[in-house]
Amino acid sequence: MLTDSGFVDIVIGPPVDTFGGAGGEDKARVFDVHGYAFLARKPE
């Protein structure tokens, strides 16, 4: 999706526990849900 939008040099960060302490934490654990940071740039 990022490539299709014209971004280049795409880097995906490590998985982050974004549901720790949240109401749906138990469901997130069952489905192994994590957040990921993305870094990319659009060429000039």
Side-chain angles (χ1 to χ4, degrees), residues 15-21 25 28-29 33-35:
V16 177
D17 179 9
T18 56
F19 287 95
E25 181 177 5
R29 298 282 175 258
V33 176
H34 294 89

Side-chain angles (χ1 to χ4, degrees), residues 7-34:
F7 287 94
V8 297
D9 298 333
I10 301 165
V11 178
I12 302 172
V16 177
D17 179 9
T18 56
F19 287 95
E25 181 177 5
D26 57 336
K27 292 178 182 61
R29 298 282 175 258
V30 170
F31 292 101
D32 199 26
V33 176
H34 294 89

Side-chain angles (χ1 to χ4, degrees), residues 1-10 38 40-43:
M1 186 166 92
L2 290 171
T3 304
D4 292 342
S5 298
F7 287 94
V8 297
D9 298 333
I10 301 165
F38 291 85
R41 69 177 184 85
K42 259 203 162 170

